[in-house]
Short mmCIF file of all heavy atoms in Angstrom, two decimals:
data_model
loop_
_atom_site.label_atom_id
_atom_site.label_comp_id
_atom_site.label_asym_id
_atom_site.label_seq_id
_atom_site.Cartn_x
_atom_site.Cartn_y
_atom_site.Cartn_z
N MET A 55 73.81 -254.73 40.85
CA MET A 55 75.10 -255.06 40.29
C MET A 55 75.79 -256.21 41.03
O MET A 55 76.40 -257.05 40.38
CB MET A 55 76.02 -253.84 40.30
CG MET A 55 75.64 -252.75 39.29
SD MET A 55 75.76 -253.28 37.61
CE MET A 55 77.43 -252.89 37.26
N PRO A 56 75.72 -256.29 42.36
CA PRO A 56 76.41 -257.38 43.05
C PRO A 56 75.89 -258.76 42.64
O PRO A 56 76.63 -259.74 42.74
CB PRO A 56 76.11 -257.12 44.53
CG PRO A 56 75.82 -255.68 44.61
CD PRO A 56 75.17 -255.33 43.32
N VAL A 57 74.65 -258.83 42.16
CA VAL A 57 74.10 -260.12 41.75
C VAL A 57 74.89 -260.69 40.58
O VAL A 57 75.05 -261.90 40.45
CB VAL A 57 72.61 -259.97 41.39
CG1 VAL A 57 72.04 -261.26 40.85
CG2 VAL A 57 71.81 -259.52 42.59
N LEU A 58 75.41 -259.84 39.72
CA LEU A 58 76.16 -260.32 38.57
C LEU A 58 77.46 -261.02 38.97
O LEU A 58 77.96 -261.85 38.23
CB LEU A 58 76.47 -259.16 37.62
CG LEU A 58 75.26 -258.57 36.90
CD1 LEU A 58 75.67 -257.36 36.08
CD2 LEU A 58 74.62 -259.60 36.00
N TRP A 59 78.02 -260.67 40.12
CA TRP A 59 79.28 -261.26 40.55
C TRP A 59 79.11 -262.29 41.67
O TRP A 59 80.09 -262.78 42.20
CB TRP A 59 80.25 -260.17 41.00
CG TRP A 59 80.67 -259.32 39.86
CD1 TRP A 59 81.51 -259.68 38.86
CD2 TRP A 59 80.28 -257.99 39.59
NE1 TRP A 59 81.65 -258.64 37.97
CE2 TRP A 59 80.90 -257.58 38.40
CE3 TRP A 59 79.44 -257.08 40.23
CZ2 TRP A 59 80.72 -256.33 37.84
CZ3 TRP A 59 79.26 -255.82 39.67
CH2 TRP A 59 79.90 -255.47 38.49
N SER A 60 77.87 -262.59 42.03
CA SER A 60 77.65 -263.55 43.12
C SER A 60 77.98 -264.97 42.67
O SER A 60 77.99 -265.28 41.48
CB SER A 60 76.21 -263.46 43.61
OG SER A 60 75.33 -263.80 42.58
N SER A 61 78.22 -265.85 43.65
CA SER A 61 78.54 -267.23 43.32
C SER A 61 77.84 -268.22 44.26
O SER A 61 78.18 -269.39 44.27
CB SER A 61 80.06 -267.44 43.38
OG SER A 61 80.51 -267.17 44.69
N GLY A 62 76.87 -267.77 45.04
CA GLY A 62 76.19 -268.63 46.00
C GLY A 62 75.10 -269.46 45.34
O GLY A 62 75.00 -269.57 44.11
N ALA A 63 74.24 -270.05 46.20
CA ALA A 63 73.14 -270.88 45.73
C ALA A 63 72.15 -270.03 44.94
O ALA A 63 71.73 -268.96 45.38
CB ALA A 63 72.44 -271.52 46.92
N GLY A 64 71.80 -270.48 43.76
CA GLY A 64 70.84 -269.77 42.92
C GLY A 64 71.44 -268.61 42.14
O GLY A 64 70.72 -267.86 41.48
N ALA A 65 72.74 -268.43 42.21
CA ALA A 65 73.37 -267.30 41.53
C ALA A 65 73.27 -267.41 40.02
O ALA A 65 73.13 -266.39 39.33
CB ALA A 65 74.84 -267.18 41.93
N ASP A 66 73.28 -268.63 39.48
CA ASP A 66 73.21 -268.79 38.03
C ASP A 66 71.86 -268.30 37.49
O ASP A 66 71.78 -267.69 36.43
CB ASP A 66 73.47 -270.24 37.63
CG ASP A 66 72.56 -271.22 38.33
OD1 ASP A 66 72.00 -270.86 39.39
OD2 ASP A 66 72.41 -272.36 37.83
N VAL A 67 70.79 -268.54 38.25
CA VAL A 67 69.47 -268.08 37.82
C VAL A 67 69.36 -266.57 37.98
O VAL A 67 68.83 -265.87 37.11
CB VAL A 67 68.36 -268.79 38.65
CG1 VAL A 67 67.00 -268.22 38.32
CG2 VAL A 67 68.40 -270.28 38.40
N MET A 68 69.86 -266.05 39.09
CA MET A 68 69.77 -264.61 39.35
C MET A 68 70.60 -263.80 38.36
O MET A 68 70.22 -262.69 38.01
CB MET A 68 70.20 -264.30 40.78
CG MET A 68 69.23 -264.80 41.83
SD MET A 68 67.54 -264.20 41.59
CE MET A 68 67.76 -262.48 41.92
N LYS A 69 71.70 -264.35 37.88
CA LYS A 69 72.52 -263.63 36.90
C LYS A 69 71.74 -263.44 35.60
O LYS A 69 71.83 -262.40 34.95
CB LYS A 69 73.82 -264.39 36.62
CG LYS A 69 74.83 -264.27 37.71
CD LYS A 69 76.09 -265.02 37.37
CE LYS A 69 77.04 -264.99 38.55
NZ LYS A 69 78.28 -265.70 38.27
N ARG A 70 70.96 -264.44 35.23
CA ARG A 70 70.15 -264.33 34.01
C ARG A 70 69.06 -263.28 34.14
O ARG A 70 68.64 -262.68 33.17
CB ARG A 70 69.53 -265.68 33.68
CG ARG A 70 70.55 -266.70 33.28
CD ARG A 70 69.89 -267.99 32.86
NE ARG A 70 70.89 -269.04 32.77
CZ ARG A 70 70.67 -270.29 33.08
NH1 ARG A 70 69.47 -270.66 33.48
NH2 ARG A 70 71.63 -271.17 32.98
N ILE A 71 68.58 -263.08 35.35
CA ILE A 71 67.55 -262.07 35.59
C ILE A 71 68.17 -260.68 35.71
O ILE A 71 67.62 -259.69 35.22
CB ILE A 71 66.76 -262.41 36.87
CG1 ILE A 71 65.99 -263.71 36.67
CG2 ILE A 71 65.81 -261.29 37.25
CD1 ILE A 71 65.36 -264.27 37.92
N ALA A 72 69.33 -260.59 36.37
CA ALA A 72 69.94 -259.30 36.65
C ALA A 72 70.53 -258.63 35.41
O ALA A 72 70.48 -257.40 35.30
CB ALA A 72 71.03 -259.46 37.70
N ALA A 73 71.07 -259.39 34.49
CA ALA A 73 71.71 -258.79 33.31
C ALA A 73 70.73 -257.96 32.48
O ALA A 73 71.01 -256.79 32.18
CB ALA A 73 72.39 -259.86 32.48
N PRO A 74 69.55 -258.49 32.09
CA PRO A 74 68.62 -257.64 31.34
C PRO A 74 68.05 -256.50 32.16
O PRO A 74 67.76 -255.42 31.63
CB PRO A 74 67.50 -258.60 30.93
CG PRO A 74 67.97 -259.96 31.21
CD PRO A 74 69.10 -259.87 32.15
N MET A 75 67.90 -256.71 33.48
CA MET A 75 67.38 -255.65 34.33
C MET A 75 68.35 -254.47 34.36
O MET A 75 67.95 -253.31 34.22
CB MET A 75 67.16 -256.17 35.74
CG MET A 75 66.56 -255.14 36.66
SD MET A 75 66.20 -255.77 38.29
CE MET A 75 67.82 -256.17 38.88
N ILE A 76 69.63 -254.73 34.51
CA ILE A 76 70.63 -253.66 34.53
C ILE A 76 70.72 -253.00 33.15
O ILE A 76 70.84 -251.78 33.05
CB ILE A 76 71.99 -254.21 35.00
CG1 ILE A 76 71.87 -254.59 36.47
CG2 ILE A 76 73.09 -253.19 34.78
CD1 ILE A 76 73.06 -255.33 37.02
N GLY A 77 70.64 -253.80 32.10
CA GLY A 77 70.62 -253.22 30.76
C GLY A 77 69.43 -252.30 30.54
O GLY A 77 69.55 -251.24 29.93
N GLY A 78 68.27 -252.69 31.06
CA GLY A 78 67.08 -251.84 30.95
C GLY A 78 67.22 -250.55 31.73
O GLY A 78 66.79 -249.49 31.29
N LEU A 79 67.83 -250.63 32.91
CA LEU A 79 68.05 -249.41 33.70
C LEU A 79 69.00 -248.45 32.99
O LEU A 79 68.76 -247.24 32.96
CB LEU A 79 68.61 -249.78 35.08
CG LEU A 79 67.64 -250.42 36.05
CD1 LEU A 79 68.37 -250.93 37.29
CD2 LEU A 79 66.56 -249.43 36.44
N VAL A 80 70.07 -248.98 32.41
CA VAL A 80 71.02 -248.13 31.69
C VAL A 80 70.37 -247.52 30.45
O VAL A 80 70.51 -246.32 30.18
CB VAL A 80 72.28 -248.94 31.32
CG1 VAL A 80 73.17 -248.16 30.37
CG2 VAL A 80 73.04 -249.33 32.57
N THR A 81 69.62 -248.33 29.72
CA THR A 81 68.94 -247.84 28.52
C THR A 81 67.93 -246.75 28.88
O THR A 81 67.85 -245.71 28.21
CB THR A 81 68.23 -248.99 27.80
OG1 THR A 81 69.20 -249.99 27.49
CG2 THR A 81 67.56 -248.53 26.54
N SER A 82 67.15 -246.97 29.93
CA SER A 82 66.17 -245.99 30.37
C SER A 82 66.85 -244.68 30.77
O SER A 82 66.38 -243.59 30.44
CB SER A 82 65.37 -246.55 31.55
OG SER A 82 64.52 -245.57 32.07
N PHE A 83 67.96 -244.79 31.48
CA PHE A 83 68.71 -243.61 31.91
C PHE A 83 69.18 -242.79 30.71
O PHE A 83 69.00 -241.57 30.66
CB PHE A 83 69.91 -244.07 32.75
CG PHE A 83 70.77 -242.97 33.26
CD1 PHE A 83 70.38 -242.20 34.33
CD2 PHE A 83 72.00 -242.70 32.67
CE1 PHE A 83 71.18 -241.18 34.80
CE2 PHE A 83 72.81 -241.69 33.12
CZ PHE A 83 72.39 -240.92 34.20
N VAL A 84 69.74 -243.46 29.72
CA VAL A 84 70.24 -242.76 28.53
C VAL A 84 69.10 -242.14 27.74
O VAL A 84 69.18 -240.99 27.30
CB VAL A 84 71.07 -243.73 27.65
CG1 VAL A 84 71.37 -243.13 26.29
CG2 VAL A 84 72.35 -244.13 28.35
N LEU A 85 68.01 -242.88 27.57
CA LEU A 85 66.88 -242.35 26.82
C LEU A 85 66.29 -241.11 27.50
O LEU A 85 66.01 -240.11 26.84
CB LEU A 85 65.79 -243.41 26.67
CG LEU A 85 66.04 -244.51 25.66
CD1 LEU A 85 64.98 -245.59 25.77
CD2 LEU A 85 66.07 -243.94 24.26
N GLU A 86 66.09 -241.17 28.81
CA GLU A 86 65.45 -240.06 29.51
C GLU A 86 66.33 -238.83 29.60
O GLU A 86 65.81 -237.71 29.60
CB GLU A 86 65.03 -240.50 30.91
CG GLU A 86 63.85 -241.43 30.88
CD GLU A 86 63.31 -241.72 32.26
OE1 GLU A 86 63.41 -240.84 33.14
OE2 GLU A 86 62.78 -242.82 32.44
N LEU A 87 67.63 -238.99 29.66
CA LEU A 87 68.49 -237.81 29.80
C LEU A 87 69.05 -237.28 28.49
O LEU A 87 69.42 -236.11 28.43
CB LEU A 87 69.65 -238.14 30.75
CG LEU A 87 69.25 -238.34 32.20
CD1 LEU A 87 70.49 -238.62 33.04
CD2 LEU A 87 68.52 -237.14 32.75
N LEU A 88 69.11 -238.09 27.45
CA LEU A 88 69.71 -237.64 26.20
C LEU A 88 68.76 -237.65 25.01
O LEU A 88 68.66 -236.67 24.28
CB LEU A 88 70.93 -238.52 25.87
CG LEU A 88 72.06 -238.53 26.89
CD1 LEU A 88 73.12 -239.53 26.49
CD2 LEU A 88 72.64 -237.14 27.05
N VAL A 89 68.05 -238.73 24.82
CA VAL A 89 67.25 -238.89 23.59
C VAL A 89 65.93 -238.14 23.67
O VAL A 89 65.59 -237.37 22.76
CB VAL A 89 67.02 -240.39 23.29
CG1 VAL A 89 66.15 -240.57 22.07
CG2 VAL A 89 68.35 -241.08 23.10
N TYR A 90 65.15 -238.34 24.74
CA TYR A 90 63.84 -237.69 24.84
C TYR A 90 63.93 -236.17 24.84
O TYR A 90 63.14 -235.51 24.15
CB TYR A 90 63.09 -238.18 26.08
CG TYR A 90 62.71 -239.65 26.04
CD1 TYR A 90 62.50 -240.36 27.20
CD2 TYR A 90 62.56 -240.33 24.85
CE1 TYR A 90 62.16 -241.69 27.19
CE2 TYR A 90 62.22 -241.67 24.82
CZ TYR A 90 62.01 -242.34 25.99
OH TYR A 90 61.67 -243.66 25.97
N PRO A 91 64.86 -235.55 25.56
CA PRO A 91 64.97 -234.09 25.48
C PRO A 91 65.32 -233.59 24.07
O PRO A 91 64.82 -232.55 23.63
CB PRO A 91 66.07 -233.73 26.47
CG PRO A 91 66.07 -234.85 27.43
CD PRO A 91 65.72 -236.07 26.63
N ALA A 92 66.15 -234.33 23.36
CA ALA A 92 66.51 -233.92 21.99
C ALA A 92 65.31 -234.01 21.07
O ALA A 92 65.06 -233.11 20.27
CB ALA A 92 67.65 -234.79 21.47
N ILE A 93 64.54 -235.08 21.18
CA ILE A 93 63.33 -235.22 20.37
C ILE A 93 62.33 -234.12 20.70
O ILE A 93 61.72 -233.53 19.81
CB ILE A 93 62.71 -236.62 20.57
CG1 ILE A 93 63.62 -237.68 19.97
CG2 ILE A 93 61.31 -236.69 19.96
CD1 ILE A 93 63.20 -239.10 20.28
N PHE A 94 62.17 -233.81 21.99
CA PHE A 94 61.24 -232.76 22.40
C PHE A 94 61.69 -231.40 21.85
O PHE A 94 60.86 -230.61 21.38
CB PHE A 94 61.16 -232.71 23.92
CG PHE A 94 60.20 -231.69 24.44
CD1 PHE A 94 58.84 -231.93 24.39
CD2 PHE A 94 60.65 -230.50 24.97
CE1 PHE A 94 57.95 -231.00 24.87
CE2 PHE A 94 59.77 -229.56 25.44
CZ PHE A 94 58.41 -229.80 25.40
N ALA A 95 62.99 -231.11 21.90
CA ALA A 95 63.49 -229.83 21.39
C ALA A 95 63.26 -229.71 19.89
O ALA A 95 62.87 -228.65 19.39
CB ALA A 95 64.97 -229.69 21.71
N ILE A 96 63.47 -230.79 19.17
CA ILE A 96 63.22 -230.77 17.72
C ILE A 96 61.74 -230.56 17.45
O ILE A 96 61.34 -229.77 16.60
CB ILE A 96 63.73 -232.07 17.07
CG1 ILE A 96 65.25 -232.11 17.13
CG2 ILE A 96 63.24 -232.21 15.64
CD1 ILE A 96 65.84 -233.45 16.76
N TRP A 97 60.89 -231.27 18.22
CA TRP A 97 59.45 -231.17 18.04
C TRP A 97 58.95 -229.76 18.34
O TRP A 97 58.15 -229.20 17.60
CB TRP A 97 58.78 -232.20 18.95
CG TRP A 97 57.29 -232.18 18.94
CD1 TRP A 97 56.46 -232.18 17.86
CD2 TRP A 97 56.44 -232.16 20.07
NE1 TRP A 97 55.15 -232.19 18.26
CE2 TRP A 97 55.11 -232.18 19.62
CE3 TRP A 97 56.68 -232.16 21.45
CZ2 TRP A 97 54.04 -232.16 20.49
CZ3 TRP A 97 55.60 -232.15 22.30
CH2 TRP A 97 54.30 -232.15 21.82
N LYS A 98 59.40 -229.16 19.44
CA LYS A 98 58.97 -227.81 19.79
C LYS A 98 59.54 -226.77 18.83
O LYS A 98 58.95 -225.72 18.63
CB LYS A 98 59.37 -227.47 21.22
CG LYS A 98 58.65 -228.27 22.27
CD LYS A 98 57.15 -228.11 22.21
CE LYS A 98 56.69 -226.90 22.93
NZ LYS A 98 55.24 -226.77 23.03
N GLY A 99 60.69 -227.03 18.24
CA GLY A 99 61.29 -226.09 17.30
C GLY A 99 60.57 -226.03 15.98
O GLY A 99 60.73 -225.08 15.22
N ARG A 100 59.72 -227.01 15.69
CA ARG A 100 59.01 -227.04 14.41
C ARG A 100 57.66 -226.34 14.48
O ARG A 100 56.92 -226.33 13.52
CB ARG A 100 58.79 -228.49 13.98
CG ARG A 100 60.11 -229.21 13.75
CD ARG A 100 59.89 -230.57 13.23
NE ARG A 100 59.59 -230.43 11.80
CZ ARG A 100 59.20 -231.41 11.02
NH1 ARG A 100 59.04 -232.61 11.51
NH2 ARG A 100 58.97 -231.22 9.74
N GLU A 101 57.29 -225.76 15.63
CA GLU A 101 56.02 -225.05 15.75
C GLU A 101 56.02 -223.81 14.86
O GLU A 101 57.05 -223.24 14.53
CB GLU A 101 55.78 -224.63 17.19
CG GLU A 101 55.41 -225.76 18.09
CD GLU A 101 55.06 -225.27 19.49
OE1 GLU A 101 55.18 -224.06 19.75
OE2 GLU A 101 54.67 -226.10 20.29
N LEU A 102 54.84 -223.36 14.50
CA LEU A 102 54.71 -222.16 13.71
C LEU A 102 55.07 -220.95 14.54
O LEU A 102 54.78 -220.89 15.73
CB LEU A 102 53.27 -222.02 13.21
CG LEU A 102 52.80 -223.10 12.24
CD1 LEU A 102 51.32 -222.91 11.95
CD2 LEU A 102 53.59 -223.03 10.95
N PRO A 103 55.70 -219.95 13.95
CA PRO A 103 56.03 -218.74 14.69
C PRO A 103 54.76 -217.96 15.04
O PRO A 103 53.75 -218.05 14.33
CB PRO A 103 56.92 -217.95 13.73
CG PRO A 103 56.59 -218.47 12.39
CD PRO A 103 56.17 -219.90 12.57
N PRO A 104 54.77 -217.20 16.12
CA PRO A 104 53.58 -216.43 16.50
C PRO A 104 53.28 -215.33 15.48
O PRO A 104 54.17 -214.79 14.83
CB PRO A 104 53.95 -215.84 17.85
CG PRO A 104 55.43 -215.96 17.97
CD PRO A 104 55.86 -217.06 17.06
N ARG A 105 51.98 -215.01 15.33
CA ARG A 105 51.57 -213.94 14.42
C ARG A 105 51.07 -212.75 15.24
O ARG A 105 50.40 -212.91 16.24
CB ARG A 105 50.42 -214.41 13.52
CG ARG A 105 50.84 -215.44 12.52
CD ARG A 105 49.77 -215.71 11.52
NE ARG A 105 48.53 -216.08 12.20
CZ ARG A 105 47.36 -216.22 11.60
NH1 ARG A 105 47.28 -216.04 10.31
NH2 ARG A 105 46.29 -216.55 12.27
N ASN A 106 51.37 -211.57 14.81
CA ASN A 106 50.90 -210.32 15.41
C ASN A 106 51.23 -210.22 16.90
O ASN A 106 50.48 -209.67 17.68
CB ASN A 106 49.39 -210.17 15.23
CG ASN A 106 49.01 -210.16 13.77
OD1 ASN A 106 49.79 -209.74 12.93
ND2 ASN A 106 47.83 -210.63 13.47
N GLY A 107 52.32 -210.80 17.31
CA GLY A 107 52.73 -210.70 18.69
C GLY A 107 51.98 -211.61 19.65
O GLY A 107 52.21 -211.58 20.84
N LEU A 108 51.01 -212.39 19.16
CA LEU A 108 50.26 -213.30 20.03
C LEU A 108 50.94 -214.66 20.04
O LEU A 108 51.52 -215.08 19.05
CB LEU A 108 48.82 -213.45 19.51
CG LEU A 108 47.97 -212.20 19.53
CD1 LEU A 108 46.63 -212.49 18.88
CD2 LEU A 108 47.76 -211.72 20.94
N PRO A 109 50.83 -215.38 21.14
CA PRO A 109 51.37 -216.74 21.15
C PRO A 109 50.66 -217.62 20.14
O PRO A 109 49.49 -217.42 19.83
CB PRO A 109 51.09 -217.23 22.58
CG PRO A 109 50.80 -216.01 23.37
CD PRO A 109 50.31 -214.98 22.41
N ALA A 110 51.35 -218.63 19.63
CA ALA A 110 50.80 -219.49 18.58
C ALA A 110 49.61 -220.28 19.08
O ALA A 110 48.73 -220.65 18.30
CB ALA A 110 51.87 -220.43 18.07
N ALA A 111 49.49 -220.58 20.38
CA ALA A 111 48.43 -221.42 20.90
C ALA A 111 47.20 -220.63 21.34
O ALA A 111 46.29 -221.18 21.92
CB ALA A 111 48.95 -222.26 22.05
N THR A 112 47.15 -219.32 21.09
CA THR A 112 46.00 -218.52 21.50
C THR A 112 44.77 -218.90 20.69
O THR A 112 44.82 -218.95 19.47
CB THR A 112 46.29 -217.02 21.32
OG1 THR A 112 47.45 -216.70 22.06
CG2 THR A 112 45.13 -216.18 21.76
N VAL A 113 43.68 -219.17 21.39
CA VAL A 113 42.43 -219.56 20.75
C VAL A 113 41.37 -218.55 21.11
O VAL A 113 41.20 -218.19 22.28
CB VAL A 113 42.00 -220.98 21.20
CG1 VAL A 113 40.67 -221.35 20.57
CG2 VAL A 113 43.06 -221.99 20.86
N THR A 114 40.62 -218.06 20.13
CA THR A 114 39.54 -217.14 20.39
C THR A 114 38.31 -217.93 20.80
O THR A 114 37.91 -218.87 20.12
CB THR A 114 39.22 -216.33 19.11
OG1 THR A 114 40.42 -215.73 18.65
CG2 THR A 114 38.17 -215.28 19.39
N PRO A 115 37.67 -217.59 21.94
CA PRO A 115 36.49 -218.32 22.38
C PRO A 115 35.33 -218.14 21.40
O PRO A 115 35.14 -217.08 20.83
CB PRO A 115 36.16 -217.74 23.74
CG PRO A 115 36.95 -216.49 23.87
CD PRO A 115 38.05 -216.53 22.88
N ALA A 116 34.55 -219.20 21.24
CA ALA A 116 33.39 -219.16 20.34
C ALA A 116 32.24 -218.43 21.01
O ALA A 116 32.06 -218.52 22.22
CB ALA A 116 32.98 -220.57 19.97
N ARG A 117 31.46 -217.71 20.22
CA ARG A 117 30.29 -217.00 20.74
C ARG A 117 29.04 -217.73 20.30
O ARG A 117 28.96 -218.24 19.20
CB ARG A 117 30.26 -215.57 20.23
CG ARG A 117 31.40 -214.76 20.78
CD ARG A 117 31.24 -213.33 20.37
NE ARG A 117 32.08 -212.54 21.22
CZ ARG A 117 31.72 -211.38 21.71
NH1 ARG A 117 30.56 -210.87 21.40
NH2 ARG A 117 32.52 -210.70 22.50
N ASP A 118 28.04 -217.74 21.17
CA ASP A 118 26.78 -218.39 20.83
C ASP A 118 25.86 -217.49 20.07
O ASP A 118 25.72 -216.36 20.17
CB ASP A 118 26.08 -218.89 22.10
CG ASP A 118 26.86 -220.02 22.73
OD1 ASP A 118 27.52 -220.74 21.97
OD2 ASP A 118 26.80 -220.16 23.95
#
């Protein structure tokens, strides 16, 4: 953040680099804490309900 308010040598170039970097950090923060958990909850909520008291992902091993 201090790079955005700097005024020394090379500050004009660094401001152009720092602005998208900070935007990416904020976007990543919002996505990881708000959007991805909501998508995961919706995705897990659409699974089929268990049958006969067994979990939905139970697989019977194949016999030779």
